[in-house]
Amino acid sequence: MFLMKDIVRDGDPVLRQQAQQVSFPLSDEDRKLADDLMEYLIVSQDPELCKKYQLRAGVGLAAPQVGVSKMMASVLVPAENEDDKPVFKDVIINPVIVSSSVQRGALTEGEGCLSVDKDVPGYVPRAARITLKYQDVDGNEHKIRLKNYPAIVCQHEIDHLHGSLFYDHINKEDPFHRTGDEIFIY
């Protein structure tokens, strides 16, 4: 299981690299990586286990964040009610955003990242809706539409696969600039 000591921090060159495509069928090493990425999210979202292992809770974790420059990320957006199934849960491999809305969305509290230890205030404008194409661990292709928070989480993780970090999107002159057209997600 990955621990916080395994998470690559801002400044490490792997976070700024273009990740490599993953080939199928997955190697044993890649399958273990996929399992470990998702396990981190599951454990980090359990308050008792999160505390026990001294983790920071996360909803997404990309392979470059654990030092592996491959096009793979786990995403686990929990349900609003504990008894419901997650809003989105999968390991997305070789993901591509095939379309995105013109309307922008941003989290009111800004974004955070397991690889960025400091708080970077500001709005991170992203597409409010996306159509995402990816492969799962078995090589099955998926094409799904996501909106609001799950769309933002997936865009954040896909950025990691292309060497971008969330704060790259923040307006440097006016971090809390609003155009009036965007949706703010709480």
Side-chain angles (χ1 to χ4, degrees), residues 11 33 45 54 58 62 83 95 100-101 104 107 113 136 156 159 171 175 183:
L33 174 61
Q45 290 182 21
Q54 300 177 335
D83 297 332
S100 58
S101 65
R104 309 306 284 166
L107 301 179
C113 181
D136 64 23
H156 178 113
D159 272 358
N171 182 322
I183 297 171

Side-chain angles (χ1 to χ4, degrees), residues 4 15 19 42 45 61 69 71 75 91 99-100 118-120 124 142-143 155 157 165 169-170 180:
M4 286 308 298
L15 292 174
I42 292 167
Q45 290 182 21
L61 183 62
S69 189
M71 292 280 240
V75 177
V91 176
S99 67
S100 58
K118 64 184 187 226
D119 183 35
V120 183
V124 182
H142 298 266
K143 188 174 178 182
Q155 289 171 85
E157 296 313 315
L165 293 171
H169 300 284
I170 296 173

Side-chain angles (χ1 to χ4, degrees), residues 12 21 52 58 76 86 91-92 108 132 135 143 151 172 176 180:
D12 189 303
Q21 288 280 314
K52 176 181 178 181
L76 176 52
V91 176
I92 59 174
T108 54
L132 176 65
Q135 291 168 278
K143 188 174 178 182
K172 306 297 181 256
F176 293 99

Side-chain angles (χ1 to χ4, degrees), residues 27-180:
S27 65
D28 290 345
E29 180 183 307
D30 284 345
R31 189 167 286 273
K32 181 173 177 3
L33 174 61
D35 291 345
D36 289 348
L37 290 170
M38 184 57 75
E39 182 185 28
Y40 179 92
L41 298 181
I42 292 167
V43 172
S44 80
Q45 290 182 21
D46 179 309
E48 288 180 23
L49 293 175
C50 189
K51 185 176 180 180
K52 176 181 178 181
Y53 294 109
Q54 300 177 335
L55 304 178
R56 284 174 50 199
V59 291
L61 183 62
Q65 292 182 272
V66 293
V68 180
S69 189
K70 290 189 176 180
M71 292 280 240
M72 181 187 300
S74 60
V75 177
L76 176 52
V77 179
E80 288 185 28
N81 300 321
E82 227 176 275
D83 297 332
D84 294 341
K85 68 177 195 156
V87 175
F88 184 77
K89 178 183 180 183
D90 212 346
V91 176
I92 59 174
I93 302 172
N94 302 324
V96 176
I97 296 170
V98 292
S99 67
S100 58
S101 65
V102 174
Q103 185 173 37
R104 309 306 284 166
L107 301 179
T108 54
E109 294 183 12
E111 292 184 22
C113 181
L114 296 171
S115 293
V116 179
D117 291 325
K118 64 184 187 226
D119 183 35
V120 183
Y123 296 136
V124 182
R126 298 190 182 276
R129 292 176 307 285
I130 62 170
T131 300
L132 176 65
K133 194 168 113 180
Y134 70 94
Q135 291 168 278
D136 64 23
V137 293
D138 296 318
N140 299 315
E141 288 197 9
H142 298 266
K143 188 174 178 182
I144 60 167
R145 300 176 103 181
L146 298 167
K147 64 180 184 176
N148 300 333
Y149 189 61
I152 286 173
V153 172
C154 286
Q155 289 171 85
H156 178 113
E157 296 313 315
I158 291 168
D159 272 358
H160 279 300
L161 307 179
H162 297 287
S164 285
L165 293 171
F166 74 94
Y167 59 75
D168 297 339
H169 300 284
I170 296 173
N171 182 322
K172 306 297 181 256
E173 280 77 48
D174 186 2
F176 293 99
H177 176 73
R178 291 181 142 182
T179 62

